[in-house]
Amino acid sequence: VFEKVERIDVVRMAKITCPFDLGEMKLLESGKQVCSLVEKGFETKMAGITIAANVANTILFKNLSEGDLYHLGRISRIKKFPAGTPLAKEGDEANSIFLIVSGEVEVRKQEKVISVQKDGFLIGEMSLVDDAPRSADLIVTQNSTIIDVNIKQLKRLMDIRPRLGSVVSMNLAKSLSSKLRMTSKI
């Protein structure tokens, strides 16, 4: 099958099609340390791919290049939260933007539920515009997987990569405008 294919392409195909599983192996202590580093590298790479795939579909990060998505994945973390976990409290410093990969988060103001956000929804992007504290409580109401994007690192990335900064700024304006229109209908 791979007779007329370059060696590097064969390696790439194997990486894509073969799951990474070393199974039971007897290793010396130094080999175990190297194995651990390699496994962590694969886990980090897979997390970055997952983050990039999820954020690419949001209003804030759509139309970013593959390279920009890669850098965005490096400053973000995937976290799991059980139901009932407070994600943020009103008045807290806003240091993250949250993307709900799966699950549900309530946005509450003085114990009153303002909205319920689900899969694919972004919360906290207003923090890119101002450095004001959180304006509402965010409570996880179902077991959830959430991507946490660090705001300071995102702002730094937007400065370093001007095209990313321009695209995110335009998308942010559209997102906030859309949310403002929705709330003015209530």
Side-chain angles (χ1 to χ4, degrees):
V1 173
F2 299 120
E3 167 178 319
K4 294 187 181 195
V5 178
E6 289 188 34
R7 185 175 164 268
I8 191 76
D9 291 332
V10 172
V11 171
R12 285 182 182 147
M13 286 183 223
K15 285 181 180 178
I16 292 170
T17 60
C18 298
F20 174 70
D21 182 15
L22 294 177
E24 278 299 315
M25 292 186 358
K26 293 182 180 180
L27 297 172
L28 298 174
E29 192 56 40
S30 59
K32 288 179 183 177
Q33 291 172 352
V34 170
C35 181
S36 175
L37 288 172
V38 169
E39 285 177 337
K40 284 181 184 174
F42 276 115
E43 289 170 8
T44 301
K45 183 75 170 174
M46 291 307 296
I49 290 169
T50 301
I51 290 168
N54 280 283
V55 299
N57 297 321
T58 65
I59 190 168
L60 188 60
F61 300 118
K62 74 177 182 180
N63 299 326
L64 290 179
S65 70
E66 200 172 297
D68 288 340
L69 290 170
Y70 167 79
H71 288 290
L72 188 59
R74 293 189 53 132
I75 65 166
S76 305
R77 298 292 172 256
I78 299 175
K79 299 180 178 181
K80 295 188 181 290
F81 296 94
T85 304
L87 204 54
K89 292 277 189 189
E90 184 176 357
D92 283 355
E93 178 185 358
N95 50 16
S96 293
I97 295 172
F98 303 107
L99 169 62
I100 305 168
V101 175
S102 65
E104 184 177 275
V105 175
E106 282 184 353
V107 180
R108 299 179 188 170
K109 184 89 171 163
Q110 299 170 350
E111 300 300 319
K112 181 182 176 194
V113 176
I114 297 171
S115 67
V116 177
Q117 306 304 332
K118 298 183 182 206
D119 304 6
F121 201 84
L122 209 57
I123 303 172
E125 68 271 29
M126 283 178 27
S127 305
L128 279 173
V129 178
D130 60 22
D131 292 324
R134 295 276 181 210
S135 60
D137 295 332
L138 304 175
I139 309 296
V140 176
T141 53
Q142 292 179 1
N143 292 346
S144 299
T145 301
I146 295 175
I147 295 175
D148 180 329
V149 182
N150 182 286
I151 290 174
K152 286 181 184 171
Q153 290 179 341
L154 177 57
K155 285 181 177 180
R156 201 170 316 128
L157 188 59
M158 289 169 68
D159 288 340
I160 294 168
R161 300 183 66 89
R163 183 184 180 288
L164 179 143
S166 173
V167 170
V168 170
S169 295
M170 182 56 76
N171 289 345
L172 177 63
K174 290 176 184 176
S175 172
L176 294 177
S177 172
S178 171
K179 287 181 178 181
L180 184 60
R181 288 179 194 277
M182 285 184 348
T183 56
S184 65
K185 290 179 183 178
I186 297 176

